[in-house]
């Protein structure tokens, strides 16, 4: 489309009154009522909002879901359930690959360490947090004061409400909200399809459309040994969405970077993303090689491999976006406007925050890699290392006053941390050795073989030898040993001869020094600067721009609509029939092989059943498993992906081609009834209280 | 083994009279006669040596082979024939995967661009080369003088003998020898097995032992439309080698770095290897993703994927070696001795060469990556780019005097270059686009998105868009268009609107500037310094240390012997039966699936037939396809790999566990006769002149 030749009056109309795009991952306590009224003639009622909020579920393993029956039945994606599926599997029975169905409650399988959260309440605590941080404080003092007030607010809330309480930073430091969650830790597996149908097309089709995935999984929440009766749940729509329908996505988008400054994005382009891509490629290559060693190794590595390959594809797409001058030009134009506004305001509240953020990027150049390798743990890709570090630090931190501890050891977080730390989920030494060898090698590649940290960590051995010695000398594979050390406190840790505990102790001082530098010199400075940028934005644009994603509950909306790609009109939904055609064209080669149930059962299915569909609603990773809702608040789909045009959504939202992708609610019923003989499940989804 | 407690007399005996290890890739004009006499009681006769030399063949696509019949039949590895197999394949007929057998000469398939070389003569030209380079010359002048004399010697030799003539640098600059080759460019495919049996176990078993690969391929050389009658060929041993037999490997090892200084190896560890590993992983990931798009894409990418995955595994092993302090300690000790010798000699011939080399590494830190990306072409992973650059440069260089040209455009090389450049071998635009997108992305990752070179090359587009435009706007896929431009000379190039030609012209000045810097500031300085180190070595150790590998003919020797690994004694050979067991344990999953011929034909085979075997002979990449010979000079095997303990051979030779791996000569006969009904081939291999 070109404006050339348009009469000036039209041109200015377009510039003045653009139809607002469906951008935004909106806060539940600040929803876009007016926008929905204007564009879609939809009135967002408090009752609608409360029902959706309390039926929505956060999977702490990294995704979203929702209650879909009065008996605590939960739907999410197969790839979100995958963590639990892998942990429940054994050499003899591979639920991740083969699927699972509990025909009776007694057959449901309890997940070893799955925690679910339901958001009950949001309280704005911005004033309290900001009041604790005085203008005259050094960044170090300010950061400590901020940590301290946040931990205190959380503890107070937990004690008062018994609800999990987290202070969430919004607008990169513009607002602080306290989120209160009801927590479920007795979660049982009800149903999962075979991985081949959940992830049909594998890496090839990931982030693409048209798609053909039954990417669903059902769990049930229990309390006191009984199925939960949730206050709210979503009704399952038998018909699903029609073309051009307004739909909503309610879920927990993980991270976006749309409100970051240009300097920060350029830093990501030139430093963080190349580093991350190199790391992910190394990890993926290792996992593929490990999986090829044999069928059992393939099973052990399957879940890690899926996650890493998914991240690699996502980051590659983001990076292409960052290299696209059009994307950065758009960010530059936005920033220019905001900075002009700041100048106009007389810059009265201190130094230029954009310059401050630019300066922190210069510090990051030398700090980020050692920080990521040591403190974020990139050099130690091992479950046992993560456990060992928590044991060393938890025993050291918990004797301190709550306000002085590292964030993850604050009182309000300890229960969740212990639940995770003492999990009986299996750990595979063979896989641990391979992963640790790779990450120690990557450490040397990144810092150089003569770097003091590398020399210290490798301790005079090649990475493979060192990894072998560390894993073989570690007893933490046994949860009882973890409990023994946790209960024994600092004394037990200091006396421990465990190789992994000793590795943590060897590097922890340096690691914490890097963390302090990061928190004081980068994070705190940025929080304050972004806080002042947010103030300019609020003053100019009000709350018309949603905050970046923070893995907390958000509401997005959009239109069910196909799009044009390379000259072809893609319809808004695919069908079962389309999938069989694609499998055939690919000669049923992996990853286009179908489970025997589907190959044999083809004739039982209505091949015209809609399978997956797309809408313009604004989603990102973390939204996986989110319910897609219609105006009536019924579940019409389960979001599981976005297309490649949507990969740049971390930085900019576009709706010409970018779409999220969801499993159609009718496809689920058809498959459950016709192929899985899951009549009781179908009945439960159709029941009405 | 430990020396603790041994009587001193024994200890000193061990230190004084070590049995010399089977190290060395020996020059054919300076063979280890004395060593063979002492250790193996073998007298290396001139006749034996001449026969082996003239029966040995260099595959210019990157490997080795040998004449094995009086009718010009040649054996090499399947993975060396793979380049030709891929180029001969089409969508309809995939010879690389499915194999090939010409039952009659008429069915043999002519390879589009395969050049073979047979070494006829070696002349020492060290004095002439060194005489042309005067001590008072600047490095730039010295490099030019050296290039000039080398090109002149080659041209003179070519004119005199009509043989391909290459001056080879040995000992990194210690010696210069002129190699004269008979050249074959009409080479026809005779036989290849299926890739599944040639590369059974795939990446998993690559560089491992026990192994089960029929990694062989037969070609025939023609001249004037008739099969060549070679002066010498190797007799095929029906029995193959026995345990503890002395064997020889005659072939073209590509590159080793054993005589490099410690500073150079540390530079490799901290700079070159991390860069190369990151690049190879990115390339491998791209090819795997491309291959997953569909069966035809898998075919297009298969050969590249095999090469890249092989290199990734080789470099990973090398890098583990460089990170092993024991390896560098050994190099350090050797270097210390040599430097002491240099000091003792009064350092009379100039500055310390080790210090000079160390200083060049400092220059390399900022130079190597831009040089590798632009001039080595790492940023332009595309056949079409390579072709475009040759066209631009060849038309510019050939009008200059021979002595002033870039090395690859010297008169004596032009025939081979044109043969390659005008090859009708297929180029796949879809694969080209994917590879170029990846490498342009890697360019940005490596230098940063704002680097002037990146901005210039991407021309305001994201890498994917830019690659698409470059491949779509390039007509060089048609060899006739290449010829038209080559014949049209500089004028035609300057007038060309071809996108790839224009890209080359856009960056060529900068690329050549980087090359000049590399040649003058690094290469020439190192040649002179290594020349002086070589002089110290010759004075101290004589010629008892073989030069590093240079992809020229070398002779290695060793003992056929198994080894102990993780407590298990591995036998010196495997069997067909062992392969069927391994395939079954792996449930015949890829890459352990067997061709139908093998599955169905199992009962026809003698399962006790030796399949692959190992020896201690000193090999490296480039030796693939080398004949393994017994004392009588008969072919007892075809070398195709080394085990993982041998990956560190680039830097140090060990023989406790490191082995090369070869296909047993008896396995070839058994498979050809029993499974491939290749009676005529078996007969030809058994014929005696």
């Amino acid at each position: 489309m070109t404006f050339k030749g348009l009469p000036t009056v039209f041109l200015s109309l377009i510039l003045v009154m653009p139809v607002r795009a469906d951008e935004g991952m909106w806060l539940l306590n600040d929803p876009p009522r007016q926008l929905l009224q204007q564009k879609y003639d939809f009135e967002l009622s408090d009752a609608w909002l409360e029902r959706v909020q309390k039926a929505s579920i956060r999977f702490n393993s990294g995704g979203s879901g929702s209650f879909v029956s009065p008996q605590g039945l939960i739907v999410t994606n197969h790839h979100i359930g995958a963590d639990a599926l892998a942990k429940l599997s054994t050499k003899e029975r591979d639920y991740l690959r083969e699927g699972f169905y509990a025909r009776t409650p007694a057959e449901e399988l309890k997940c070893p360490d799955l925690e679910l959260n339901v958001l009950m309440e949001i309280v704005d605590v911005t004033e309290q947090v900001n009041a604790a941080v005085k203008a005259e404080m050094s960044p170090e003092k300010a950061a400590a004061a901020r940590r301290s007030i946040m931990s205190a607010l959380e503890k107070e809330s937990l004690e008062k409400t018994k609800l999990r309480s987290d202070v969430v930073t919004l607008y990169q430091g513009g607002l602080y909200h306290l989120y209160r969650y009801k927590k479920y830790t007795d979660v049982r597996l009800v149903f999962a399809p075979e991985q081949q149908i959940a992830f049909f097309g594998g890496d090839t089709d990931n982030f693409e459309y048209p798609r053909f995935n039954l990417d669903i999984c059902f769990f049930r929440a229990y309390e006191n040994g009984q199925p939960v009766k949730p206050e709210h749940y979503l009704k399952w729509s038998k018909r699903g969405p029609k073309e051009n329908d307004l739909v909503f996505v309610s879920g927990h988008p993980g991270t976006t970077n749309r409100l970051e400054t240009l300097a920060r994005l350029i830093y990501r382009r030139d430093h963080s993303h190349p580093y991350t891509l190199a790391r992910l490629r190394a990890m993926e290559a290792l996992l593929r090689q490990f999986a090829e060693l044999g069928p059992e190794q393939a099973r052990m590595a399957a879940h890690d491999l899926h996650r890493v390959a998914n991240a690699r594809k996502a980051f590659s797409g983001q990076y292409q976006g960052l290299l696209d001058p059009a994307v950065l030009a758009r960010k530059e134009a936005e920033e220019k406007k905001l900075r002009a506004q700041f100048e106009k305001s007389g810059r009265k509240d201190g130094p230029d925050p954009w310059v401050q953020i630019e300066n922190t990027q210069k510090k990051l150049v030398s700090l980020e890699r050692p920080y990521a390798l040591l403190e974020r743990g990139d050099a130690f890709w091992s479950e046992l290392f993560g456990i060992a570090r928590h044991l060393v630090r938890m025993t050291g931190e918990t004797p301190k006053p709550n306000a002085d501890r590292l964030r993850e050891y604050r009182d309000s977080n300890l229960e969740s941390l212990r639940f995770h730390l003492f999990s009986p989920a299996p750990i595979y030494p063979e896989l641990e050795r391979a992963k640790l060898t790779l990450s120690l090698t990557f450490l040397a590649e990144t810092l150089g073989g003569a770097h003091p940290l590398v020399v210290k960590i490798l301790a005079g051995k090649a990475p493979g030898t060192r990894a072998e010695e560390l894993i073989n000398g570690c007893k933490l594979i046994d949860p009882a040993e973890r409990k023994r050390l946790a209960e024994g406190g600092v004394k037990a840790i200091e006396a421990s001869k465990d190789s992994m505990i000793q590795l943590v102790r060897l590097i922890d001082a340096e690691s914490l020094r890097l963390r302090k530098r990061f928190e004081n010199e980068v994070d705190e400075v940025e929080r304050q600067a972004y806080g002042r940028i947010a103030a300019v934005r609020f003053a100019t644009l009000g709350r018309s721009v949603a905050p970046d994603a923070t893995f907390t509950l958000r509401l997005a909306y959009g239109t069910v609509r196909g799009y044009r790609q390379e000259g072809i009109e893609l319809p808004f939904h695919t069908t079962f029939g389309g999938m069989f055609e694609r499998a055939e064209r690919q000669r049923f080669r992996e990853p286009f092989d179908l489970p025997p149930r589907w190959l044999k059962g083809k004739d039982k299915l209505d091949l015209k059943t809609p399978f997956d569909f797309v809408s313009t609603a604004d989603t990102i990773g973390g939204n996986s498993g989110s319910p897609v809702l219609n105006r009536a608040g019924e579940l019409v789909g389960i979001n599981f992906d976005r297309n490649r045009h949507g990969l740049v959504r971390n930085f900019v939202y576009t709706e010409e081609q970018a779409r999220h992708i969801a499993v159609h609610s009718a496809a689920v019923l058809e498959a459950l009834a016709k192929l899985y003989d899951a009549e009781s499940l179908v009945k439960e989804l159709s029941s009405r209280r």
Side-chain angles (χ1 to χ4, degrees), chain A:
Chain A
M1 184 181 181
T2 165
F3 293 123
K4 203 178 148 194
L6 272 183
T8 317
V9 56
F10 277 100
L11 187 61
S12 56
L13 256 176
I14 288 163
L15 292 179
V16 171
M17 293 181 55
V19 176
R20 189 179 155 114
D22 295 332
E23 176 168 8
M25 298 161 179
W26 300 94
L27 297 172
L28 275 280
N29 57 344
D30 191 9
R33 292 183 202 270
Q34 209 188 336
L35 291 170
L36 283 164
Q37 186 75 63
Q38 283 169 0
K39 184 166 175 185
Y40 288 102
D41 194 23
F42 178 78
E43 194 172 329
L44 191 61
S45 71
D46 289 346
W48 192 100
L49 208 57
E50 187 185 348
R51 178 152 46 98
V52 169
Q53 175 185 316
K54 293 188 177 167
S56 296
I57 293 172
R58 180 166 77 173
F59 275 65
N60 271 7
S61 53
S64 303
S66 56
F67 282 121
V68 288
S69 94
Q71 292 85 38
L73 189 68
I74 293 163
V75 71
T76 182
N77 289 150
H78 182 273
H79 77 268
I80 296 304
D83 185 60
L85 289 167
K87 286 172 177 169
L88 288 167
S89 295
T90 60
K91 190 175 174 181
E92 289 68 37
R93 190 67 209 268
D94 186 351
Y95 298 120
L96 180 61
R97 195 179 160 74
E98 294 158 18
F100 175 80
Y101 178 35
R103 296 190 175 272
T104 65
E107 287 173 19
E108 295 174 3
L109 296 176
K110 186 168 174 176
C111 305
D113 54 11
L114 181 54
E115 178 185 321
L116 306 184
N117 296 158
V118 174
L119 177 61
M120 305 308 284
E121 201 179 357
I122 306 176
V123 184
D124 188 339
V125 293
T126 310
E127 276 188 31
Q128 288 101 305
V129 172
N130 286 344
V133 180
K134 312 289 179 204
E136 67 276 10
M137 285 178 173
S138 70
E140 192 177 344
K141 284 245 162 69
R146 200 182 298 279
R147 270 196 303 275
S148 171
I149 180 71
M150 284 162 71
S151 295
L153 288 166
E154 289 162 335
K155 186 175 185 176
E156 184 194 311
S157 169
L158 171 67
E159 283 168 0
K160 197 175 88 185
T161 64
K162 310 291 172 216
L163 294 171
R164 173 178 173 140
S165 300
D166 300 338
V167 172
V168 177
T169 304
L170 299 165
Y171 295 100
Q172 278 85 354
L175 295 176
Y176 292 87
H177 288 181
L178 177 71
Y179 276 55
R180 291 184 177 135
Y181 297 101
K182 185 151 177 46
K183 210 166 78 175
Y184 298 99
T185 53
D186 182 354
V187 184
R188 306 191 190 173
L189 177 63
V190 176
F191 174 88
E194 303 87 343
Q195 189 165 30
Q196 291 142 290
I197 190 68
F199 195 45
F200 177 80
D203 186 58
T204 309
D205 279 7
N206 196 15
F207 298 116
E208 298 289 342
Y209 185 77
R211 278 293 272 292
F212 311 91
N213 296 78
L214 191 71
D215 194 352
I216 56 152
C217 193
F218 288 98
F219 291 92
R220 194 184 305 281
Y222 279 73
E223 266 182 328
N224 308 317
Q226 293 299 316
V228 163
K229 310 268 177 230
E231 196 182 332
H232 292 285
Y233 74 95
L234 303 176
K235 287 182 184 147
W236 196 280
S237 163
K238 283 181 190 167
R239 285 202 314 196
K242 294 190 311 296
E243 188 155 21
N244 296 319
D245 271 2
L246 165 67
V247 286
F248 300 87
V249 177
S250 165
H252 302 80
T255 306
T256 56
N257 319 92
R258 294 184 201 161
L259 303 186
E260 290 183 351
T261 69
L262 192 64
R264 178 79 183 134
L265 293 179
I266 288 173
Y267 179 82
R268 286 192 186 279
R269 180 191 72 188
D270 294 339
H271 299 279
S272 308
H273 270 64
Y275 167 83
T276 301
L277 278 170
R279 191 170 67 89
L280 289 171
R281 288 188 195 119
M283 292 164 77
E284 184 177 356
L286 181 276
L287 291 170
R288 280 185 186 263
Q289 289 142 32
F290 186 83
E292 280 189 3
L293 290 175
E296 174 59 3
Q297 285 90 346
R299 184 188 73 77
M300 292 177 195
H303 181 48
D304 276 345
L305 181 52
H306 179 263
R307 287 179 77 114
V308 168
N310 186 64
R312 181 258 308 148
K313 204 160 178 179
F315 271 91
S316 298
Q318 288 175 31
Y319 186 57
Q320 290 289 322
L322 288 175
L323 287 177
D324 184 346
V327 170
L328 287 195
R330 182 167 151 184
K331 306 307 291 187
E332 197 174 356
E334 285 169 14
E335 184 162 310
K336 211 170 157 187
K337 270 194 212 162
L338 215 51
R339 291 183 79 160
Q341 210 59 39
F342 173 75
E343 294 294 338
K344 237 169 80 182
S345 75
R347 317 175 51 146
K348 54 182 174 287
D349 71 340
D352 185 327
W354 286 272
V355 172
Q356 287 184 300
I357 292 169
E358 195 171 352
N359 288 337
T360 63
Q361 308 315 306
K362 289 173 195 154
K363 288 205 174 146
L364 265 180
V365 172
S366 62
L367 175 60
E368 191 186 37
R369 291 181 180 205
Y371 168 74
L373 287 162
L374 256 69
E375 179 62 16
R376 207 170 64 195
D378 292 355
F380 313 104
W381 187 24
S382 146
E383 308 260 337
L384 292 173
F385 175 84
I387 289 167
R389 183 144 80 179
H390 271 312
L391 288 170
V392 170
R393 290 188 175 177
M394 192 171 70
T395 48
E397 289 290 302
T398 44
K400 297 184 193 168
N402 185 42
D404 297 347
R405 297 179 203 159
L406 296 170
R407 280 281 289 159
E408 59 273 33
Y409 305 104
R410 64 194 189 277
D411 280 332
S412 61
N413 195 50
L414 283 178
E415 196 178 87
S416 292
L417 180 68
R418 288 201 181 101
F419 179 62
H420 177 78
L421 191 58
F422 302 137
S423 162
I427 293 174
Y428 306 109
E430 186 183 354
L431 180 57
E432 288 274 298
R433 271 193 294 274
K435 286 161 64 172
L436 189 55
T437 299
L438 185 274
S439 58
L440 291 176
T441 305
F442 182 75
L443 165 75
E445 285 171 32
T446 307
L447 298 183
H451 192 287
L453 276 171
V454 177
V455 172
K456 192 170 183 177
I457 291 166
L458 292 184
K461 284 149 199 130
T465 314
R466 179 66 167 142
E468 179 128 12
E469 156 190 290
L470 283 166
I471 301 300
N472 293 354
C474 178
K475 307 267 172 282
L476 303 175
I477 205 157
D478 178 6
E481 174 66 8
R482 299 176 212 161
K483 277 186 193 145
R484 191 188 69 79
L485 284 172
E487 282 158 17
V490 173
K491 253 192 184 164
I493 294 291
E494 283 175 359
S496 171
K497 298 270 180 262
D498 193 281
S499 54
M500 209 56 100
I501 296 282
Q502 293 193 333
L503 172 66
V504 170
R505 296 185 65 210
L506 180 72
I507 55 154
D508 215 36
E510 177 63 15
S511 192
L512 288 170
R513 196 185 65 80
L514 290 164
R515 174 164 169 169
K516 264 211 163 9
R517 280 196 57 201
F518 181 81
E519 285 179 352
N520 298 338
E521 297 173 28
V522 179
D523 186 61
E524 178 60 28
V525 178
E526 289 199 350
R527 274 171 188 267
Q528 295 192 15
Y530 277 118
R532 292 190 297 121
I533 291 175
V536 181
R537 192 179 282 116
F538 294 153
T540 320
L541 304 164
R543 294 287 175 87
S544 68
V545 176
D548 268 315
T550 47
F551 197 43
T552 50
L553 190 63
R554 302 295 179 88
L555 186 69
Y557 61 88
T559 306
V560 173
R561 193 163 63 210
Y563 59 101
R564 201 177 168 79
Q565 183 176 282
E566 292 164 15
I568 297 162
E569 287 295 341
L570 299 175
F572 82 94
H573 75 79
T574 61
T575 62
F576 283 152
M579 178 191 65
F580 284 104
E581 284 167 33
R582 179 150 175 76
E584 203 156 309
R585 266 204 315 281
Q586 289 282 355
R587 301 185 204 162
F588 299 98
R589 315 175 307 147
E590 213 188 325
F592 299 94
D593 49 337
L594 284 167
R597 183 197 311 276
W598 285 74
L599 284 172
K600 284 185 221 149
K602 184 178 171 187
D603 293 344
K604 296 189 218 163
L605 289 169
D606 177 355
L607 296 179
K608 293 205 192 76
T609 309
F611 197 170
D612 296 340
F613 71 93
V614 291
S615 101
T616 61
D618 193 359
T619 65
I620 202 85
N623 267 124
S624 285
S626 296
V628 186
L629 311 158
N630 61 16
R631 288 174 182 249
E634 294 167 337
L635 183 146
V636 295
I638 302 100
N639 171 69
F640 70 95
D641 204 4
R642 57 199 186 288
N643 64 5
R644 75 176 114 112
H645 311 288
L647 286 176
V648 76
R649 272 194 188 165
N650 284 66
F651 313 112
V652 290
Y653 174 91
T654 60
E655 65 179 30
E656 195 191 337
Q657 295 180 297
R659 297 289 183 275
H660 79 95
I661 315 173
V663 183
H664 196 282
S665 58
V668 177
L669 296 179
E670 176 78 1
L672 288 178
K674 304 280 183 68
L675 294 183
Y676 292 91
D677 300 322
E679 286 306 332
S680 65
L681 201 49
V682 172
K683 206 173 141 198
E684 186 173 352
L685 290 175
S686 314
S687 69
R688 295 288 177 263
R689 213 177 335 198

